[in-house]
Amino acid sequence: MRCRIGSIAASVVVLVVAAGCGDAKNAEPAEEAAKCDKGGLGTALDIPGPGKPLPEEAVEAYLDAFVVVSVQEDGENATVIAEAPGSDAVRLYDLTRREDGWWPDGYTEC
C-alpha cells in the first residue's frame, strides 16, 4: 500500500486570554488600540504575496464584517483599526512594509 503525504500552508492561530476590552463604540482609535493591548484574541496571518500598495488594501481580504476606521503608519510598520458595525468588536491589524508593498502580519480582536 502506498501513501502520499502532502502539506497545506495554513494560518497559525494564537490565542490570548480576552480581558479589558471594554466599550470601544465611543473610543478614539488610540483608546481602542490600548484596550486591545490589554488582551484579546490574536491571529497570525501567513499569506501568499505580493504585498499591497496601501495598508488598508492589504487587510481587505481579512476584514469579514469589519470596516476600516483608522490607519496609522510609522515608517516600515502600520496599524489598521477596524470596527464591526453594530458591535463593540474591534480588530487591530499589524502590517510590515516590504519591497513589494504592505503585508499583514496578523490581528488582535477584542
Side-chain angles (χ1 to χ4, degrees):
M1 175 187 246
R2 291 182 157 190
C3 294
R4 177 178 281 178
I5 299 174
S7 65
I8 299 173
S11 297
V12 177
V13 178
V14 179
L15 297 177
V16 180
V17 176
C21 286
D23 180 14
K25 191 178 282 185
N26 297 320
E28 293 295 318
E31 293 171 354
E32 292 169 350
K35 290 176 185 175
C36 279
D37 286 343
K38 294 178 184 175
L41 177 64
T43 301
L45 299 172
D46 182 16
I47 59 170
K52 301 290 183 180
L54 299 172
E56 54 270 34
E57 291 176 354
V59 300
E60 199 170 76
Y62 307 98
L63 286 174
D64 302 320
F66 287 76
V67 177
V68 173
V69 295
S70 173
V71 177
Q72 301 164 349
E73 288 185 43
D74 182 21
E76 300 300 310
N77 299 303
T79 300
V80 174
I81 301 173
E83 296 178 340
S87 171
D88 290 340
V90 175
R91 280 188 185 171
L92 299 177
Y93 293 87
D94 295 315
L95 296 96
T96 303
R97 184 187 341 225
R98 299 191 180 128
E99 289 180 12
D100 63 347
W102 288 99
W103 288 73
D105 298 317
Y107 63 87
T108 302
E109 185 174 331
C110 63

